[in-house]
Structure formats: structure tokens, C-alpha cells
Amino acid sequence: MNETPMRARAVVDLAALRANVRVLRARAPKAQLMAVVKADAYGHGAVPCARAARQAGAAWLGTATPQEALALRAAGDTGRLLCWLWTPGGPFREAVEADIDITVSGLWALEEVLTAVRAAGRPARIQLKIDTGLGRNGCTPGDWEKLVAAAREAEAAGAVRVTGVWSHFACADEPGHPSIGAQLAVFRDAVAYAEAQGLTPEVRHIANSPAALTLPEAHFDLVRTGVAVYGISPSPELGTSGDFGLRPVMTLTASLASVKRVPAGHGVSYGHLYTTPGETTLALVPVGYADGIPRAASGTGEVLVGGKRRRIAGRVAMDQFVVDLGDDTAEPGDEAVLFGPGDRGEPGAEDWGRATGTIGYEVVTRITGRVPRVYVGEADDATAAAEASAPSADPADGTGPGVSA
Ligand SMILES: *Cc1c(COP(=O)(O)O)cnc(C)c1O
């Protein structure tokens, strides 16, 4: 790939993303796959990631907010698309018109859908969500009868089609946690009740990435995979991404902005939390918490520079941090690899999660728009094979690395 001279970049490997989707489909062979692309595809870029996931066979896309779903429609996605985090006054009519499956967790939302249906002059697709124990969104089991009855009535009137019944796990990433079986039992009852009342959902679903990877009995008709699509393990307890055959999609790198020799006893970065133990070489990595690098990585996070892992020396500032190279040499412009798939010995997002008291999910999702994304592996495998055998590849055909903020 062309090295674009940039301060920092998040390289997003769409071939790895497609391979991850195929791995996940093979793990849940009887279910359809939803690629969850909320939060700008966990910081990887929703539109290119959605397209790649579709190429690899994701029948569904999922977002949290309706705005995220509408943005995918505006970008040309026409497949099945579910969103679930609604608030009163939300863009229900726009979602109906855009053929988005709308999650309904309570009567207020169903009423908003029915108003939108009248305004749009066409029926809505809705999915009913039950809280089987997560204690977050979703209808309580106690209110389920009323919600099912209202949905059934709306369906009989031709206003809606109930396409799904679903729920979400609290502890699927903790193998053997008693809540898993308890939630499954409540879910099965809720589905059976809805079906006995005459609903005929196309998809019943409860599995997130950890359940897709480790709980076949939870696959039902559809698995909603997010973090695993991006090649990150849902929890170190379950295993590493490599254990599941997943490959991290994002590699975050920066170009060293300064390399200098300093004497012993030199304080480094705000607060002087680090002092050079002897004469040494300091390298400046020009990314900081404004780029999404956790300030909690101060003194703990590791970065690959010159083929070795180096611990962050002192505080992570808004725009930069420092690593101590000792007596190793480096040049301004040399690459620092913050995290990636590990091919060169760099840490993974999961390692950054451990070092900063969070999870791999947050490490990638918090990378901000100040870091340009560079997409590689954009051509689908079939297209790529055709190009490889073509006599001359045109570098301007849009299949090479692309840059977007
Ligand atoms: C985020 C989310 C998912 C995906 O979770 P992962 O653990 O990243 O696979 C699935 N379903 C819902 C409702 C979510 O909010």
C-alpha cells in the first residue's frame, strides 16, 4: 500500500472483516448473521464496514440509533436493517419510509409507530424486544402480554408486520453464568407466548458475539455480532481473537514527531510522572486523548517502535505522548504501532483494554474522527482474484487504499 505521510492513521482491513463474518457464519450455520455497525462500526467506519459485511453474507445490519440506520440507507444500503435505541419523538416516520425494522420495547413506541404508519401511508416492520434479565431496554415479562396483544391487533389491522422477537444477554461473556440459562428460559417462554397469540416472527434472536461464539443453544434464527466482526474477542475469559479464528480489523499507527537524546533525570510530560533513569532517547508519538487514546494508558500502555514494545513514559496528553527508547535509535517519521492484529509484535486492542482498565470494545470505538481512516482490502475476494489475473491494474479504480476522515 502507498504510505501516505500522515500524523496518524487507523488502517481498516476490510478483507479481515469479511473473513471474520465468514468465520462467524460458520460458527452459527443455522442462523442468519447480523453485523452490528452501531457507533460508526465500533470506530471502524459504518458505511465501508457495512458494505464489506454484506459482501461476506451478512443478511442483516444492526444499529443502536435510528439515525445510524438512516445514514446507512442514505449511503445506499437496501438490505434488512434493525435499530433498537428509540426515544419519544424519534424519526419513526423516516424509518418506516426507509424500510427499517423498528424495535418496539413498550406501548409508547408502538403508538409512535402507528402514527408514523398513518403519516407514511404504508405499514411498518417492527420487532418486539423483551427484557429477559439484562435490566436495560425491553419490555418486562409482566408487560409482555399487553405489548403482544397490541402488536397483534396492529398487525391484524394491516398497520405493522411483526418480523422479530428478541432479547439481549447480560453475561454471555462469562461462561456458565447462571443468568444465561435463566434468560434463555424467559426468552423461550416469551417467544412461545407471542407465537401462541398468533405472531409469526421471521427471526427470534438473543445472541451477541460471545453467545454466537460459545452458546449454540442461543443462536435461534439470527445472531447479532458486533465486536467479533471487528476481530476482537468479547472477553479475555472466553479466549483471544486468534482462538476463534478472528483477525483484528483496525491497526492504529502514528509517525514519530520527534526523537531526541536527553540526559538522566529529565522529567517527561505533564506532571513529570516519569523521569529518565539515565541518558536516553525519547520518541514523541503525536496522538493523545483527543484522538481517543485513553489517558488511563499513562505509564501503562505499550506501543511498538523500532520492532520492540515500549511502555508509555508519563502522561498521555491531549495530542501526544512519549516513549523511552533507551539506547535504541529511531528517526522522526518512523512508525509507532499502537495496536493491530499482532503480526509485527504490536499489542492488540484487547491488551490496551487490559492496560487501561477497560475492554477492547471501548479501545477501538473511542478512536476519534481526528484520526484518518485508511481502508485496505476493499475489493471483494472474487473481484480481487479477477484483478490479480488482469494484465494491468489501474491504481485509480477505487479498489486500492482509500482515505476518509
Ligand atoms: C451492541 C449490541 C450487540 C453486539 O454486541 P457484541 O458483544 O459487540 O457482539 C448486539 N445486540 C445489541 C442489542 C447490542 O446493543
Side-chain angles (χ1 to χ4, degrees), residues 14 17 58 126 205 401:
L14 296 172
L17 187 147
I126 64 168
H205 49 107

Side-chain angles (χ1 to χ4, degrees), residues 128-130 139-149 165 190 193-194:
L128 304 184
K129 181 174 186 190
I130 172 130
C139 173
T140 63
D143 288 338
W144 188 238
E145 283 184 22
K146 262 189 248 145
L147 185 62
V148 167
V165 171
Y193 178 80

Side-chain angles (χ1 to χ4, degrees), residues 369-392:
R370 192 156 77 148
V371 179
R373 296 193 191 112
V374 179
Y375 290 96
V376 298
E378 252 167 324
D380 196 1
D381 304 344
T383 325
E387 274 159 13
S389 60
S392 74

Side-chain angles (χ1 to χ4, degrees), residues 38-89:
K38 64 188 179 186
D40 210 9
Y42 293 44
H44 295 66
V47 170
C49 290
R51 196 175 296 137
R54 292 286 197 203
Q55 286 169 352
W60 290 78
L61 297 176
T63 68
T65 71
Q67 288 79 10
E68 291 169 333
L70 288 164
L72 290 168
R73 285 290 189 246
D77 187 88
T78 55
R80 296 301 287 277
L81 170 54
L82 175 73
C83 65
W84 47 79
L85 195 55
W86 288 91
T87 43

Side-chain angles (χ1 to χ4, degrees), residues 17 20-28 31-38 41-42 53 57-63 84 168 205-214 219 222-232 234 246 361:
L17 187 147
N20 294 336
V21 168
R22 292 187 175 115
V23 163
L24 291 164
R25 286 178 62 207
R27 263 194 116 96
Q32 295 186 306
L33 183 132
M34 174 188 290
V36 178
V37 294
K38 64 188 179 186
Y42 293 44
W60 290 78
L61 297 176
T63 68
W84 47 79
H168 195 39
H205 49 107
I206 188 170
N208 52 3
S209 292
L213 290 168
T214 66
H219 290 171
L222 174 69
V223 294
R224 300 187 311 270
T225 47
V227 82
V229 166
Y230 309 101
I232 295 169
L246 301 168
Y361 291 75

Side-chain angles (χ1 to χ4, degrees), residues 251-323:
T251 300
L252 185 68
T253 70
S255 301
L256 297 183
S258 151
V259 180
K260 63 190 179 194
R261 200 75 186 152
V262 299
H266 201 302
V268 174
S269 193
Y270 293 129
H272 279 180
L273 298 189
Y274 183 84
T275 307
T276 55
E279 186 184 312
T280 194
T281 297
L282 297 179
L284 183 65
V285 183
V287 286
Y289 60 78
D291 300 289
I293 309 305
R295 188 166 179 273
S298 301
T300 71
E302 288 188 338
V303 186
L304 192 80
V305 179
K308 286 191 207 159
R309 287 207 196 178
R310 327 272 178 174
R311 177 155 301 158
I312 294 172
R315 282 229 170 99
V316 173
M318 187 181 290
D319 316 303
Q320 46 200 300
F321 64 82
V322 173
V323 292

